[in-house]
């Protein structure tokens, strides 16, 4: 029996976030340039997105390019941006076929013009789709997101449109990039690293964390299903006792 057949479809996480790590090391292990790993990582994205959609996951958020990644060698950054454009062009038909709605979060204004145009065009084309919501975290920094949210709230208070006593967790969350998404219940990180890497720090406060040694280009839907099964074995207490939640 495969992992998928063991999954309880009534207990799926609504939102899964993934830190796709290990492309460079995967390529290096094969004696190739890091860019080779990024290209093969796209195959993993395609397989996991399709697997998540088939399973019935409603939201999938992928850490695609962090704000810190801009500090990488210019050749690699350029290659990643070009890969993003070509991938969007190639995958748009499949996204439409699979009823996937594309979304993006982060400092998108930092993206190269062509990349931004292709991305926003794809988001618009898939906006009416009602299946899996696929969010790409691009030029994303969670600390920056939190800082901008704090500034936005401060400006509302200064303008007199918000009272300080009315600032709640819900109000704060509405000022984040992810204001239209539920918080992830499961965070997956590949490549054997045990870090959050400035990703969705507010949103994953109560997420279950799943780490695997597999490098991202080797990660496929069966690995995704295995992570879902592991999630379903966890007891989610949210600060309460086992007796309270059972």
């Amino acid at each position: 029996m495969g992992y998928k057949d063991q999954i309880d479809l009534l207990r799926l996480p609504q939102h899964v976030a993934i830190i796709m790590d290990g492309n460079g090391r995967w390529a290096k292990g094969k004696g190739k340039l890091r860019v080779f790993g990024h290209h093969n990582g796209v195959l993993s994205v395609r397989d996991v997105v399709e697997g998540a959609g088939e399973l019935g996951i409603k939201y999938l958020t992928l850490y695609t390019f962090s704000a810190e990644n801009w500090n990488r060698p210019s050749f690699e950054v350029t290659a990643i941006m070009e890969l993003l454009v070509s991938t969007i062009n190639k995958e748009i038909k499949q996204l439409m076929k699979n009823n996937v709605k594309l979304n993006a979060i982060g400092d998108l204004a930092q993206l190269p013009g062509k990349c931004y145009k292709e991305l926003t065009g794809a988001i618009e084309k898939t906006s009416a789709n009602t299946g899996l919501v696929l969010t790409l975290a691009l030029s994303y920094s969670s600390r920056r997101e939190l800082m901008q949210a704090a500034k936005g709230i401060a400006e509302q208070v200064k303008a007199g449109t918000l009272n300080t006593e009315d600032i709640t967790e819900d109000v704060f969350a509405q000022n984040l990039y992810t204001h239209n998404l539920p918080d992830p219940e499961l965070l997956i990180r590949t490549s054997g690293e045990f870090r959050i890497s400035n990703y969705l720090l507010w949103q994953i406060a109560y997420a279950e964390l799943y780490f695997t040694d597999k490098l991202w280009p080797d990660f496929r839907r069966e690995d995704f299903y295995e992570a879902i099964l592991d999630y379903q074995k966890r007891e989610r207490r949210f600060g309460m006792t086992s007796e309270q939640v059972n």
Side-chain angles (χ1 to χ4, degrees), residues 19-22 188-193 212 214-216 219:
I19 300 175
M20 307 180 294
D21 195 23
I188 299 170
R189 179 167 190 149
T190 61
S191 87
E193 301 289 356
T212 174
K214 280 203 173 183
L215 302 176
W216 179 249
F219 193 88

Side-chain angles (χ1 to χ4, degrees), residues 22 29 34 59 75 78 87 98 104 110 129 145-146 153 182 196 206 241 244 246:
R34 291 175 59 85
Y59 301 90
F75 169 78
T78 299
T87 300
N98 293 331
Q110 279 197 299
N129 290 348
E145 176 185 25
L146 293 170
I153 290 173
I196 302 304
Y206 277 102
T241 66
Q244 286 177 297
N246 292 320

Side-chain angles (χ1 to χ4, degrees), residues 145-188:
E145 176 185 25
L146 293 170
M147 183 180 68
Q148 290 180 352
K151 285 183 177 180
I153 290 173
E155 289 172 357
Q156 294 171 55
V157 171
K158 183 178 180 180
T161 59
L162 180 66
N163 296 319
T164 54
E165 58 268 24
D166 294 328
I167 300 174
T168 62
E169 290 188 10
D170 287 339
V171 168
F172 194 89
Q174 283 301 308
N175 284 269
L176 298 173
Y177 294 140
T178 55
H179 60 87
N180 58 344
L181 302 173
D183 289 340
E185 293 101 332
L186 173 63
L187 172 69
I188 299 170

Side-chain angles (χ1 to χ4, degrees), residues 26-38:
W26 185 87
K28 185 177 180 180
K30 298 181 180 302
K32 303 285 187 178
L33 295 174
R34 291 175 59 85
V35 174
F36 182 71
H38 296 310

Side-chain angles (χ1 to χ4, degrees), residues 190-205:
T190 61
S191 87
E193 301 289 356
F194 296 86
R195 295 189 299 273
I196 302 304
S197 296
N198 198 14
Y199 185 47
L200 301 175
L201 298 178
W202 172 280
Q203 297 88 341
I204 63 169

Side-chain angles (χ1 to χ4, degrees), residues 59-186:
Y59 301 90
L60 179 66
T61 301
L62 306 179
Y63 204 1
T64 309
F65 191 85
S66 73
E68 292 78 17
N69 287 155
W70 291 112
N71 296 318
R72 290 188 175 186
S74 58
F75 169 78
E76 182 176 351
V77 171
T78 299
I80 291 173
M81 291 297 114
E82 290 177 350
L83 176 60
L84 180 61
V85 170
S86 64
T87 300
I88 291 173
N89 285 330
K90 290 178 182 177
E91 298 297 325
I92 188 66
K93 288 184 179 180
Q94 199 65 23
L95 293 177
M96 296 300 295
K97 178 182 177 182
N98 293 331
N99 197 28
V100 175
K101 182 177 182 178
L102 187 64
N103 183 39
I105 58 174
D107 190 359
L108 305 181
Q110 279 197 299
L111 298 175
K114 185 176 182 181
C115 184
Y116 181 80
K117 181 179 179 181
E118 293 293 334
L119 176 64
T120 53
I123 290 173
E124 177 60 29
K125 287 178 182 177
T126 63
S127 62
N129 290 348
T130 58
L132 172 71
V133 176
L134 172 62
T135 301
L136 306 181
L138 286 162
S139 190
Y140 176 83
S141 161
S142 188
R143 284 185 171 182
R144 188 177 301 173
E145 176 185 25
L146 293 170
M147 183 180 68
Q148 290 180 352
K151 285 183 177 180
I153 290 173
E155 289 172 357
Q156 294 171 55
V157 171
K158 183 178 180 180
T161 59
L162 180 66
N163 296 319
T164 54
E165 58 268 24
D166 294 328
I167 300 174
T168 62
E169 290 188 10
D170 287 339
V171 168
F172 194 89
Q174 283 301 308
N175 284 269
L176 298 173
Y177 294 140
T178 55
H179 60 87
N180 58 344
L181 302 173
D183 289 340
E185 293 101 332
L186 173 63

